[in-house]
Amino acid sequence: MELRMLKWTWPFLLFGVAQWPVVTNGLRNGLALTPPMGWLHWERFLCETDCEKEPYTCVSERLFMEMADVMVYQGWLDAGYQYLCIDDCWLAPKRDAQNRLQADPVRFPSGIKKLADYVHARGLRLGIYQDVGKQTCAGFPGSQNYYELDAQTFSEWEVDLLKFDGCYYGTLEQLEDGYRRMSMALNRTGRNIVLSCEWPLYARPLKKVNYSEVAEYCNSWRNFGDISDSWSSVKSVLDWTAVLQDSLVPAAGPGAWNDPDMLVIGNFGLSWDQQVTQMALWCIMAAPLLMSNDLREISAESKALLQNKEVIAINQDCLGAQGYRILKVDSFELWEKPLFGGSLAVSVTNRNEIGGPRRFLLSRIMLWKGTACGDVCYVTQLLPTRKEYGYFNTTGILSLSVNPSGTVLLRID
Ligand code: GLA
């Protein structure tokens, strides 16, 4: 399982100035070689614990079993969404007599091991949530002082991913030490458990984050506060990512991903064009694709967007390069993501929230010169609808119509 992770640094701001790939040490567990894909309950279902009042939406084994079934029968697993992840509020208020974690007995009467069996029988993987500090963010028992025991418990339950939060961490030293310890404890169990961290989010106010160290211990990490079901929230994630891209982008690669938080597509807050923008940009950013929505009642439109295989392929590209913003002009944003074999994904977002569709003239010199296609690049538009533009030579200009708060996503081969 000891893999040497290849990490790439990519050009920022200056067109066509590529740096050489550099080798750094990612978490050497051989997992998450492409961004993890799945479903996570938090944004949509939060911490509803009253199953008498809200049996359909409370955080319970019923919710996860129903979601597991839908993921298999409605094509989500086939599209690549494999991790079914529990977030906060699954725990009983206290550890058991041996200090072991236990699920809430009313809401998870069969226990987590049985739920893992159910999920595995359907070809899915199970994710769970804990916290590096004394308590989880919602006030349930945290892992501080119990890293070894909790890692062992998760391994015995056959959990496949741990989202490890950072509330109530104590000192910066305890926070950082806790993440290192849990990572090593998980490795020692011998089970393949993807580790999703929030280390940089909590450390950033106190120090300059050392991303190569974070990447040594975590498969993915959150940098910013929680996403919510709104366009302003999605925009703020994009803006922060672009501002910090010089430190974020070089840290990402196979086994180690910046996590801009959940996809909220299919909920209540985003218009169609804004959903297209979230999907396109999360793919450009090589983000983990963890949906938080209700798959039991999602619209056909949102489902088709989330299951679009050509779009997902941009996210899952095996080169594992995180895309970056190369241009911000006249309320347009241009991002690109290098793909395996010299191809390129390109997105154009219209950040105007007034007026109608606007034209953006895309020329080859705006893009990274290293695209291997040379004079004869072939352009396919993947979003908002599929369209073939044909060949795009070095002097060619593409005229793209982009809706307000919408995005055009292209693939250039
Ligand atoms: C923090 C995390 C969220 C979610 C909640 C749960 O706020 O950042 O993603 O896990 O805790 O309490």
Short mmCIF file of all heavy atoms in Angstrom, two decimals, residues 42 87-88 129 137-138 163 165 167 198 201-202 222 226 261-262, ligand 1:
data_model
loop_
_atom_site.label_atom_id
_atom_site.label_comp_id
_atom_site.label_asym_id
_atom_site.label_seq_id
_atom_site.Cartn_x
_atom_site.Cartn_y
_atom_site.Cartn_z
N TRP A 42 -25.22 15.64 6.03
CA TRP A 42 -25.31 16.85 6.85
C TRP A 42 -26.14 18.01 6.30
O TRP A 42 -27.09 18.45 6.94
CB TRP A 42 -23.91 17.36 7.24
CG TRP A 42 -24.05 18.49 8.20
CD1 TRP A 42 -23.87 19.81 7.94
CD2 TRP A 42 -24.50 18.40 9.56
NE1 TRP A 42 -24.15 20.55 9.06
CE2 TRP A 42 -24.54 19.71 10.06
CE3 TRP A 42 -24.87 17.34 10.40
CZ2 TRP A 42 -24.94 20.00 11.36
CZ3 TRP A 42 -25.26 17.62 11.69
CH2 TRP A 42 -25.30 18.93 12.16
N ASP A 87 -23.00 11.68 8.95
CA ASP A 87 -22.33 12.85 9.55
C ASP A 87 -22.62 12.86 11.05
O ASP A 87 -22.87 11.80 11.66
CB ASP A 87 -22.79 14.13 8.82
CG ASP A 87 -21.76 15.24 8.88
OD1 ASP A 87 -21.59 15.84 9.96
OD2 ASP A 87 -21.12 15.54 7.85
N ASP A 88 -22.59 14.02 11.66
CA ASP A 88 -22.77 14.15 13.11
C ASP A 88 -24.15 13.63 13.55
O ASP A 88 -25.06 13.51 12.73
CB ASP A 88 -22.62 15.63 13.48
CG ASP A 88 -22.17 15.83 14.91
OD1 ASP A 88 -22.18 14.86 15.68
OD2 ASP A 88 -21.80 16.97 15.25
N TYR A 129 -18.66 9.63 11.00
CA TYR A 129 -18.18 10.95 11.44
C TYR A 129 -17.69 10.89 12.88
O TYR A 129 -18.33 10.24 13.73
CB TYR A 129 -19.36 11.93 11.33
CG TYR A 129 -19.18 13.27 12.01
CD1 TYR A 129 -18.81 14.40 11.27
CD2 TYR A 129 -19.39 13.41 13.38
CE1 TYR A 129 -18.65 15.63 11.90
CE2 TYR A 129 -19.23 14.65 14.00
CZ TYR A 129 -18.87 15.75 13.26
OH TYR A 129 -18.71 16.97 13.87
N CYS A 137 -19.18 18.59 16.90
CA CYS A 137 -19.72 19.95 16.83
C CYS A 137 -21.14 20.02 17.40
O CYS A 137 -21.56 21.04 17.93
CB CYS A 137 -19.70 20.46 15.39
SG CYS A 137 -18.03 20.62 14.75
N ALA A 138 -21.89 18.93 17.31
CA ALA A 138 -23.26 18.93 17.84
C ALA A 138 -23.29 18.45 19.30
O ALA A 138 -24.38 18.26 19.86
CB ALA A 138 -24.15 18.05 16.97
N LYS A 163 -15.02 10.90 8.37
CA LYS A 163 -14.97 12.36 8.34
C LYS A 163 -14.61 12.80 9.74
O LYS A 163 -15.33 12.52 10.70
CB LYS A 163 -16.34 12.95 7.93
CG LYS A 163 -16.40 14.47 8.07
CD LYS A 163 -17.71 15.03 7.53
CE LYS A 163 -17.84 16.53 7.84
NZ LYS A 163 -19.05 17.12 7.25
N ASP A 165 -13.91 15.74 12.20
CA ASP A 165 -14.16 17.17 12.40
C ASP A 165 -13.20 17.73 13.46
O ASP A 165 -12.42 16.97 14.06
CB ASP A 165 -15.63 17.35 12.83
CG ASP A 165 -16.21 18.69 12.41
OD1 ASP A 165 -15.43 19.62 12.16
OD2 ASP A 165 -17.44 18.80 12.34
N CYS A 167 -14.16 20.35 16.03
CA CYS A 167 -14.72 21.17 17.11
C CYS A 167 -14.10 20.80 18.46
O CYS A 167 -13.63 19.68 18.66
CB CYS A 167 -16.24 20.96 17.20
SG CYS A 167 -17.16 22.02 16.06
N GLU A 198 -10.76 18.13 8.66
CA GLU A 198 -11.10 19.56 8.63
C GLU A 198 -9.96 20.36 9.27
O GLU A 198 -10.15 21.51 9.68
CB GLU A 198 -12.45 19.82 9.32
CG GLU A 198 -13.59 19.11 8.66
CD GLU A 198 -14.96 19.70 8.97
OE1 GLU A 198 -15.06 20.90 9.27
OE2 GLU A 198 -15.95 18.94 8.91
N LEU A 201 -9.20 24.05 8.17
CA LEU A 201 -10.28 24.97 8.52
C LEU A 201 -10.10 25.49 9.95
O LEU A 201 -10.27 26.67 10.22
CB LEU A 201 -11.63 24.23 8.36
CG LEU A 201 -12.86 24.83 9.00
CD1 LEU A 201 -13.19 26.18 8.40
CD2 LEU A 201 -14.06 23.90 8.83
N TYR A 202 -9.75 24.60 10.87
CA TYR A 202 -9.59 25.00 12.26
C TYR A 202 -8.22 25.61 12.54
O TYR A 202 -8.08 26.46 13.42
CB TYR A 202 -9.84 23.80 13.20
CG TYR A 202 -11.29 23.38 13.18
CD1 TYR A 202 -11.75 22.40 12.30
CD2 TYR A 202 -12.23 23.99 14.02
CE1 TYR A 202 -13.09 22.04 12.26
CE2 TYR A 202 -13.57 23.63 13.99
CZ TYR A 202 -13.99 22.65 13.11
OH TYR A 202 -15.32 22.31 13.07
N ARG A 222 -11.04 19.97 4.48
CA ARG A 222 -11.86 21.17 4.32
C ARG A 222 -11.02 22.40 4.64
O ARG A 222 -10.24 22.40 5.59
CB ARG A 222 -13.04 21.09 5.28
CG ARG A 222 -14.13 20.07 4.88
CD ARG A 222 -15.23 20.72 4.06
NE ARG A 222 -15.74 21.87 4.77
CZ ARG A 222 -16.63 21.80 5.76
NH1 ARG A 222 -17.16 20.64 6.10
NH2 ARG A 222 -17.03 22.90 6.39
N ASP A 226 -18.84 25.86 6.58
CA ASP A 226 -19.84 24.92 6.03
C ASP A 226 -20.61 25.53 4.86
O ASP A 226 -21.05 26.68 4.92
CB ASP A 226 -20.85 24.54 7.12
CG ASP A 226 -20.18 23.78 8.24
OD1 ASP A 226 -18.96 23.51 8.15
OD2 ASP A 226 -20.89 23.47 9.22
N ASP A 261 -16.49 21.16 0.30
CA ASP A 261 -17.73 20.77 0.99
C ASP A 261 -18.77 20.20 0.00
O ASP A 261 -18.52 20.09 -1.19
CB ASP A 261 -18.29 21.91 1.83
CG ASP A 261 -19.01 21.41 3.09
OD1 ASP A 261 -19.09 20.18 3.26
OD2 ASP A 261 -19.48 22.24 3.90
N MET A 262 -19.95 19.89 0.53
CA MET A 262 -20.92 19.06 -0.20
C MET A 262 -21.52 19.71 -1.44
O MET A 262 -21.61 20.93 -1.52
CB MET A 262 -22.07 18.70 0.75
CG MET A 262 -21.65 17.82 1.90
SD MET A 262 -22.78 17.96 3.32
CE MET A 262 -22.10 19.35 4.19
C1 GLA B 1 -19.07 21.04 11.35
C2 GLA B 1 -18.68 20.52 9.96
C3 GLA B 1 -19.93 20.19 9.17
C4 GLA B 1 -20.77 19.17 9.92
C5 GLA B 1 -21.10 19.68 11.30
C6 GLA B 1 -21.76 18.62 12.16
O1 GLA B 1 -19.71 22.28 11.28
O2 GLA B 1 -17.88 21.46 9.28
O3 GLA B 1 -19.60 19.71 7.88
O4 GLA B 1 -20.06 17.96 9.98
O5 GLA B 1 -19.93 20.09 11.99
O6 GLA B 1 -22.02 19.05 13.45
#
